[in-house]
Amino acid sequence: MLVLEFKAKGKATQYTAIDEAIRTAQFVRNKALRFWMDNLGVGQKQLYRLSKSLREEFSFVKALNSSACQASIERAYSAIARFYSNCKKSIPGKKGYPKFQKNCRCVEYKTSGWVLSLNRKQITFTDKKGIGKVKLKGTWDLNYYQLDQIKRVRLVRRADGYYVQFLVNTEDKVDVGLTGKMVGLDVGLLEFYTDSNGHTEPNPKFYRNGEKRLKFRQRRVSRKKKGSANRKRAINKLGRVHLKISRQREEHAKRMARCVIQSNDLVAYEDLRVKNLVKNHCLAKSINDAGWYQFRKWLEHFGIKFGRITIAVSPAYTSQECSSCGTLIKKSLSMRTHACKCGFVLDRDWNAAINILKLALSTTGHVGTWVIDPNASGDSTSTRVGAILLRQVESLSEESSPL
């Protein structure tokens, strides 16, 4: 699946109608979740029947296209199925019990409820919510794809406006020649990454650089009266700053990953569990700002696109083990130089990157991905005020071009 994203241009009344459609989708999902809580063991068919009864009971639900209601039911059932799967696998910690949505930011249509114009520059939503025709602003050319290839259409609300996403069923692969090179990557906080050849990329620290502006906007929000129009405007301006930082981080990770994948036939990296690493409150902000998760996600995406091998290896002892003789040398985080008794002296991260490449070559490791979903990946839809966590805001398309 390929996700193509456009900025939606319309009137204020149309934006209000989109908000109403999003609220309705949230209502349907929460009703489905409540029905499951009250009747444990119900399946997807029973939830589909619930959607039909909701359309008969509530007029505002009936005004939303039936396929959009079904998509909301599917999202609820997806959360339920994931919870059951985690329980069955006995994963440690919380199992992800489904929660009610409080601030939904998107509504999804299937193959009905919308019509594209002949030039593919406008889209008309035909349900009774009153959205109507909106213009599509972007650089993608929808004429390249057949209408039956478009499987879903999403309306997404963000801090800087509204967007339309098209989920296109097509293969996104590029045939490129072999380079004969292999590389191991060690991500860090001082440097974005260090490879097994000794090359380092600086850490841009987008959040740290924008923190002063964020604090200014957060103070403006706290001074406004709750529920007032001024407070809403201040919250929107704060959200725009968060959105800009998250987009900078995502584009940087995408650019770095593409360069690494195109330059090497095999790329090895650590199988880090960032969710566990951020439990260290001393380093959580810096780890989130580095964007390790986004970098790995794009490495695996471009690995599939360009036909490269990506291998995730266990991070255990990669920083402690000597890449020359294999001796374990214990180090604290402050020790940045690896000095072994055998006389081998090297930068700590460079030594770790060499170990990561050796591990990848000596074992199959974790070939493939646990990040990329075989289905179209729709990420978070808008910024969350005051939050900078792992996947706060991400690009909503696999390779969205700048507007």
Side-chain angles (χ1 to χ4, degrees):
M1 282 283 189
L2 181 65
V3 183
L4 308 181
E5 182 177 290
F6 297 83
K7 187 74 175 288
K9 290 294 184 179
K11 299 178 181 179
T13 55
Q14 292 177 296
Y15 296 149
T16 303
I18 294 175
D19 290 336
E20 175 61 24
I22 292 174
R23 284 194 297 269
T24 304
Q26 175 182 301
F27 175 82
V28 173
R29 181 195 180 278
N30 289 342
K31 277 289 187 179
L33 199 55
R34 170 53 65 188
F35 183 76
W36 169 77
M37 291 177 179
D38 296 338
N39 305 274
L40 293 179
V42 298
Q44 193 169 9
K45 289 184 178 179
Q46 288 83 354
L47 294 180
Y48 278 140
R49 295 193 190 103
L50 174 67
S51 172
K52 185 176 180 180
S53 63
L54 289 176
R55 292 176 61 82
E56 295 175 354
E57 182 178 358
F58 300 99
S59 59
F60 65 91
V61 178
K62 189 175 182 179
L64 184 66
N65 183 263
S66 59
S67 67
C69 294
Q70 290 178 2
S72 298
I73 293 292
E74 290 170 2
R75 289 198 171 196
Y77 185 75
S78 176
I80 295 169
R82 183 169 57 249
F83 168 69
Y84 281 141
S85 176
N86 292 340
C87 292
K88 188 176 181 180
K89 294 176 182 177
S90 299
I91 65 169
K94 295 182 178 180
K95 305 300 186 292
Y97 190 81
K99 296 181 180 180
F100 295 109
Q101 280 189 341
K102 295 183 180 179
N103 191 17
C104 179
R105 296 180 178 90
C106 73
V107 59
E108 186 174 85
Y109 294 77
K110 293 186 180 180
T111 54
S112 64
W114 54 272
V115 177
L116 273 174
S117 62
L118 294 177
N119 59 2
R120 309 287 177 91
K121 295 295 184 180
Q122 297 93 23
I123 183 172
T124 304
F125 292 91
T126 58
D127 57 9
K128 297 180 181 180
K129 283 298 181 181
I131 300 174
K133 183 186 289 186
V134 294
K135 295 180 180 179
L136 302 176
K137 182 181 178 183
T139 57
W140 293 105
D141 187 6
L142 287 174
N143 292 293
Y144 183 76
Y145 307 98
Q146 300 295 328
L147 283 177
D148 56 0
Q149 288 183 277
I150 302 176
K151 300 302 181 182
R152 305 250 173 159
V153 174
R154 293 183 186 135
L155 279 170
V156 181
R157 180 181 66 232
R158 293 192 191 153
D160 64 339
Y162 296 82
Y163 293 81
V164 180
Q165 293 179 345
F166 296 89
L167 280 68
V168 183
N169 185 16
T170 182
E171 289 190 3
D172 187 27
K173 293 186 178 181
V174 179
D175 293 330
V176 292
L178 298 177
T179 63
K181 298 179 181 178
M182 299 176 291
V183 71
L185 302 178
D186 179 72
V187 294
L189 298 179
L190 295 179
E191 305 292 342
F192 183 69
Y193 74 77
T194 302
D195 64 23
S196 53
N197 300 319
H199 175 73
T200 61
E201 282 291 336
N203 189 351
K205 299 180 181 180
F206 294 113
Y207 180 81
R208 295 284 185 179
N209 295 333
E211 202 167 12
K212 184 177 180 181
R213 190 65 180 172
L214 280 173
K215 289 181 179 179
F216 170 77
R217 287 299 173 189
Q218 287 167 345
R219 286 197 301 268
R220 286 297 183 92
V221 172
S222 64
R223 291 171 183 172
K224 300 296 186 292
K225 184 178 179 180
K226 290 186 177 180
S228 65
N230 285 337
R231 185 179 176 88
K232 290 182 180 179
R233 281 192 288 268
I235 290 174
N236 181 264
K237 290 181 180 180
L238 173 62
R240 287 171 181 263
V241 180
H242 273 295
L243 192 58
K244 180 180 179 180
I245 293 172
S246 64
R247 282 172 171 168
Q248 287 176 325
R249 186 186 300 123
E250 186 78 14
E251 288 300 318
H252 176 263
K254 184 191 303 183
R255 185 171 61 253
M256 291 294 102
R258 189 183 184 99
C259 292
V260 170
I261 290 295
Q262 286 186 318
S263 303
N264 300 276
D265 297 332
L266 182 146
V267 179
Y269 46 87
E270 293 176 295
D271 189 12
L272 295 174
R273 297 304 187 210
V274 182
K275 185 178 180 180
N276 297 331
L277 293 175
V278 295
K279 293 179 181 179
N280 184 339
H281 297 291
C282 298
L283 300 175
K285 184 186 290 187
S286 298
I287 292 173
N288 282 318
D289 194 19
W292 296 343
Y293 179 91
Q294 288 91 336
F295 182 56
R296 174 175 178 170
K297 181 187 73 173
W298 286 111
L299 279 175
E300 294 173 352
H301 168 73
F302 287 121
I304 294 174
K305 179 175 180 176
F306 294 108
R308 306 302 198 192
I309 300 175
T310 59
I311 303 178
V313 301
S314 173
Y317 306 111
T318 53
S319 296
Q320 312 292 337
E321 185 178 337
C322 178
S323 59
S324 178
C325 65
T327 305
L328 291 180
I329 307 296
K330 292 186 177 181
K331 309 180 187 70
S332 63
L333 287 175
S334 60
M335 296 178 61
R336 306 312 307 170
T337 303
H338 170 81
C340 183
K341 297 178 181 179
C342 67
F344 186 73
V345 179
L346 197 65
D347 178 77
R348 172 198 179 110
D349 296 336
W350 190 353
N351 175 73
I354 296 175
N355 287 331
I356 291 169
L357 181 58
K358 286 183 176 179
L359 278 173
L361 296 176
S362 62
T363 178
T364 57
H366 184 154
V367 181
T369 171
W370 55 270
V371 173
I372 298 178
D373 193 310
N375 299 317
S377 62
D379 304 328
S380 304
T381 53
S382 181
T383 191
R384 295 198 292 267
V385 175
I388 58 164
L389 298 180
L390 176 64
R391 301 184 67 188
Q392 175 194 346
V393 180
E394 299 178 3
S395 167
L396 279 149
S397 56
E398 291 292 359
E399 292 181 71
S400 58
S401 57
L403 296 174

